[in-house]
Amino acid sequence: MKALTFLLLITLTFILSQSPSSAQEIMRAEIVKVDFYPSGAKFTFSVEPSGQDGSFNAEIPGAFSAETVKAANPENVYGDIQARQFTRTRWIPEELEALNSQLEKQRTLVNSLLARKNALEQTLTLLKNSNPDKSKPEVIITFITDAQALRLKTENDLVSLNSDLTREQEKLRVLTAELDSKRPANDRSYILVTGQAKGTVYIEAFTDSASWGPKYTLNLDSHTGNIGVKMYVRAFQKTGLNYTGKMTLHTKTPDERITTPELYPLKVGIKPREEVIAANSMVSLSRNNNQFKSARRMAMREESETLEDVTNYDEAVAAPSMIQRVSVNETLADRTLNIEGTLSGDGTERDFEVIMNDLTLKGKIIITLIPEHRNNAWIVASMDENNEHLIPGQAELRVDNHTSGKIYLDEYGKNGTGQKEIPFGYADQITVKKTSLVGKTGVSWFSGVFTSGYKLEITNGTKDDHLITLKDRLPIPTDEKIKLDVKRIEPREKERDRENRLTWEINVPAGATVPVIVDYTLSYPSGEELQYTNGTE
C-alpha cells in the first residue's frame, strides 16, 4: 500500500511539473501590431514580466505556430524564450459565447424531442405486441376500443413531433455550421510562452489563418478615356483574437527557405539514331493533330483575354470602413500599405476602401472589331505606363458607371512594358457582318485558280461617331506552289503584318454602315486541293 501511495505521489508531481499551471499568473498577451501577407499574418504581442525575477508566462491561441514564436526585442530577454503547445477543451472566444449558448439550448431542445420520439415509438411497439385476455370476452371490446384510441393519439403525436423535430434539427444544423465557420483555427490547443526579461517583451508569432488582397473598381469614361480607380483592401484573420489598430499589408510572403541561385551547365550530345528514326516516323501522324491543337490554343487564348457579359457583380464589396488615404511603400524586396481598422477574430472578411493619391489612369479608348471571333466590338482602354502602382488583384469593370464585367488585373506601373491594355467588355451597338464573296475555281492544263474574298459591313448603332479598329486576315501560302494575288482591298488597310493580318482604322458616323471589300485569288498546281489551317504551327 505504501509503495502504491509513493508511486501516485511521483506521478502527480510529474504531471504538475509538465502542466502550464503554476503559482505565477498566466497572462493573455496583448496585440500591438499585425503584418498581413497574401497568405498568413505575423502578430506582434506585448508581455509584461510578472515575477520578481523578470519571468513571464503568456498565452497565445493555437492558431499560431509555436515554431515561429520569437522575441522581437531579444536585447530585453535573458536567454531564450520557450514556446510550448498544450491541448485543452475547445476554446470559445468571448464574441462567440452567445452563439455557442444558443447552439447548446438548441441541442438540448433537439435531444428532448428525440427522447419524446423514442417514447412514442416504444408506446406503439407495446400496443402492437399487447393482446387482450381471451378468457374474458367481456373486456376484449373495451381493450380494442381503448387500444385503438391510444394508438391513434400516439401516431398523431408522433407525426406532429417529427415535423417539429425536422424543423428544430435544421435550426441546429444551421447554428452548428455558423459556429464551426467562425471557430478559431486549432481551437483545441494553445501556446504557452515563457522566459525572463527586463521590461516589456515583444513576441512575434505567425499564423496561416489570415490573408489579404486588393480589389478594384475601374470605371471607364467613354468620352474622355479616363479610368477612375477605387481600391479596396479585403482582409480576414481567424485566430479568435479581435484586433483594432494599425495593419501593415505586404505584397510578398516571406520565404521559408532561401538558397543561392545557381546556373547549371548545358550539355549537348548526339541523339541515338534509333530515336531519330522513331521521332521522324511520328511527324506525319501528329502534324494534323498539332495544327488542330494550335488553332484551339489560339482561340482559347484570345477568348480568355476578353470578358464574358455579366449582369451584376457577384462579389459585391461589403460595407467598408472609413476611407483611408494610403501610399505604396517600396523596398527592393517588398511593397507595403499601411491601414487602420478593426478585424474580428472569427474569420469575417472586411473591406477597407483606400485612396491612392486620387488615382485616375489616363487612357485612350480603342473600339476593336474582329469578326473571326464575334460580331460585337470590344472596348479596350490603352494607356502608357506611368508612375502609379496597381498591385495585382481582382477588378470590377464599369463603363460610364455601368457594370461590364470582371478581370484579374496584372502588374501595372514601372515595369517597362510601355503600353497597357485593359478590356472593358463589349459594345453591343457596334457590330460587323462578314459575307463571303462568291468563290469560283478555274482549271487550266497546268494550274488551278481559286478566286475568293469577303465583304465586311461595319454598323455603328450609337448616337456618336466612332473610330473603329477592324482586324481580319488574308491566307498565308505555306507551300511555294501556292501563289496569293490580292486584287482589291477597299478601303486600303492601315497595316498588314508578316502573317497577312490586316488592320484598318475607319471612322464610322453615328447610325451608319461602312463596307470593306477584300478580293484575292490563289493559284496552285492542277489536280491539287487547298487546305486551310488556323494557327502559327
Side-chain angles (χ1 to χ4, degrees):
M1 184 66 180
K2 290 182 179 181
L4 180 59
T5 302
F6 180 73
L7 180 60
L8 289 174
L9 287 173
I10 292 178
T11 304
L12 181 60
T13 301
F14 176 80
I15 292 175
L16 290 176
S17 67
Q18 298 300 310
S19 171
S21 301
S22 65
Q24 184 180 343
E25 179 185 2
I26 299 177
M27 62 186 299
R28 177 66 60 82
E30 180 183 353
I31 308 171
V32 295
K33 180 185 176 185
V34 178
D35 289 80
F36 276 91
Y37 300 93
S39 178
K42 181 182 67 178
F43 281 56
T44 302
F45 302 89
S46 67
V47 178
E48 299 294 336
S50 56
Q52 294 182 353
D53 59 351
S55 58
F56 61 86
N57 281 349
E59 177 187 319
I60 59 177
F64 294 91
S65 171
E67 292 77 13
T68 65
V69 175
K70 65 178 182 179
N73 57 338
E75 66 278 2
N76 277 18
V77 179
Y78 300 116
D80 296 326
I81 63 173
Q82 291 186 334
R84 294 176 294 170
Q85 193 163 10
F86 295 92
T87 58
R88 62 175 167 191
T89 56
R90 177 165 278 176
W91 172 47
I92 302 296
E94 184 177 348
E95 67 272 15
L96 296 182
E97 287 180 353
L99 178 60
N100 185 64
S101 177
Q102 185 181 359
L103 174 63
E104 291 302 324
K105 290 180 181 179
Q106 188 66 24
R107 184 176 285 115
T108 300
L109 175 59
V110 169
N111 289 337
S112 176
L113 292 175
L114 285 172
R116 287 182 56 196
K117 178 183 178 181
N118 290 335
L120 291 174
E121 289 176 342
Q122 289 177 5
T123 299
L124 288 176
T125 301
L126 289 174
L127 288 172
K128 180 180 180 180
N129 295 329
S130 297
N131 296 309
D133 188 352
K134 296 181 180 180
S135 64
K136 298 179 180 181
E138 66 277 6
V139 302
I140 292 179
I141 295 177
T142 302
F143 175 86
I144 293 175
T145 302
D146 292 344
Q148 286 178 339
L150 180 58
R151 181 168 183 171
L152 179 60
K153 181 180 184 306
T154 303
E155 288 181 344
N156 286 335
D157 289 346
L158 187 58
V159 170
S160 177
L161 179 62
N162 280 331
S163 178
D164 293 341
L165 180 60
T166 299
R167 182 175 61 255
E168 299 304 329
Q169 284 178 326
E170 177 61 18
K171 291 181 181 179
L172 179 62
R173 185 193 67 78
V174 171
L175 288 172
T176 301
E178 182 181 359
L179 183 61
D180 287 344
S181 69
K182 295 182 176 181
R183 286 187 187 278
N186 201 13
D187 58 355
R188 292 188 180 275
S189 68
Y190 68 97
I191 298 171
L192 185 68
V193 184
T194 60
Q196 289 180 295
K198 52 177 181 180
T200 304
V201 181
Y202 294 102
I203 297 172
E204 294 179 351
F206 192 86
T207 177
D208 292 326
S209 301
S211 181
W212 86 278
K215 286 183 57 179
Y216 300 94
T217 298
L218 304 182
N219 184 34
L220 174 66
D221 187 327
S222 63
H223 299 286
T224 65
N226 292 342
I227 302 172
V229 180
K230 284 187 178 180
M231 178 179 178
Y232 299 87
V233 169
R234 171 164 289 183
F236 84 94
Q237 55 99 3
K238 203 175 182 183
T239 63
L241 302 176
N242 294 337
Y243 175 69
T244 299
K246 295 181 179 180
M247 291 171 273
T248 301
L249 312 176
H250 299 258
T251 59
K252 178 185 177 184
T253 302
D255 295 311
E256 293 184 2
R257 182 184 178 188
I258 299 178
T259 58
T260 303
E262 182 177 351
L263 181 63
Y264 294 98
L266 177 64
K267 300 179 180 180
V268 61
I270 301 298
K271 181 182 289 188
R273 185 171 181 81
E274 58 272 15
E275 291 186 18
V276 175
I277 295 174
N280 289 338
S281 66
M282 294 297 296
V283 170
S284 59
L285 296 177
S286 62
R287 179 179 293 114
N288 291 338
N289 188 43
N290 287 338
Q291 292 173 341
F292 171 78
K293 289 181 178 179
S294 173
R296 178 63 176 164
R297 284 197 302 269
M298 288 292 294
M300 292 178 65
R301 185 182 304 120
E302 293 175 354
E303 186 66 22
S304 67
E305 293 173 354
T306 65
L307 295 172
E308 295 183 358
D309 295 317
V310 294
T311 56
N312 54 31
Y313 190 49
D314 57 12
E315 293 181 355
V317 177
S321 61
M322 64 178 182
I323 300 177
Q324 303 176 49
R325 187 175 298 277
V326 301
S327 59
V328 177
N329 303 310
E330 184 174 352
T331 67
L332 186 61
D334 194 8
R335 283 177 293 167
T336 60
L337 300 173
N338 293 307
I339 63 172
E340 288 189 48
T342 297
L343 275 179
S344 172
D346 62 5
T348 301
E349 290 186 334
R350 179 117 185 240
D351 289 329
F352 303 89
E353 183 175 350
V354 298
I355 299 176
M356 298 178 63
N357 301 326
D358 295 324
L359 181 58
T360 299
L361 303 178
K362 303 292 184 180
K364 174 186 176 183
I365 296 178
I366 300 176
I367 299 177
T368 303
L369 281 168
I370 307 178
E372 287 297 320
H373 288 288
R374 63 184 296 132
N375 295 330
N376 304 108
W378 275 274
I379 304 172
V380 179
S382 177
M383 298 159 289
D384 292 324
E385 299 285 10
N386 58 21
N387 292 325
E388 297 293 346
H389 276 300
L390 289 187
I391 301 169
Q394 294 290 338
E396 175 192 358
L397 300 174
R398 296 179 180 178
V399 178
D400 299 328
N401 295 313
H402 295 285
T403 300
S404 61
K406 294 180 293 183
I407 194 174
Y408 184 84
L409 195 63
D410 292 323
E411 184 78 11
Y412 177 79
K414 282 188 177 179
N415 57 13
T417 59
Q419 289 292 120
K420 177 71 175 181
E421 291 189 349
I422 301 178
F424 273 82
Y426 305 117
D428 291 334
Q429 298 182 71
I430 299 177
T431 60
V432 61
K433 179 181 179 182
K434 185 174 184 177
T435 305
S436 297
L437 299 180
V438 178
K440 58 182 179 180
T441 302
V443 179
S444 67
W445 288 104
F446 304 104
S447 67
V449 178
F450 178 70
T451 303
S452 185
Y454 51 83
K455 178 181 180 181
L456 300 169
E457 294 177 291
I458 306 170
T459 301
N460 177 10
T462 71
K463 298 179 180 179
D464 300 311
D465 299 347
H466 286 290
L467 178 65
I468 308 297
T469 298
L470 174 67
K471 295 185 178 182
D472 214 290
R473 61 191 178 181
L474 291 167
I476 307 172
T478 58
D479 192 308
E480 61 182 10
K481 299 175 183 178
I482 302 174
K483 304 298 181 184
L484 170 67
D485 183 15
V486 179
K487 299 295 185 181
R488 178 175 55 145
I489 298 181
E490 294 181 359
R492 297 299 304 175
E493 73 278 12
K494 179 181 179 181
E495 180 183 351
R496 176 177 172 182
D497 66 15
R498 296 177 60 184
E499 295 181 325
N500 278 351
R501 287 177 292 200
L502 307 173
T503 301
W504 294 264
E505 287 188 356
I506 303 174
N507 283 300
V508 183
T513 297
V514 175
V516 175
I517 302 295
V518 177
D519 194 3
Y520 63 89
T521 61
L522 291 171
S523 301
Y524 55 94
S526 179
E528 303 288 348
E529 292 185 2
L530 297 177
Q531 177 179 312
Y532 294 89
T533 304
N534 283 317
T536 58
E537 292 185 5

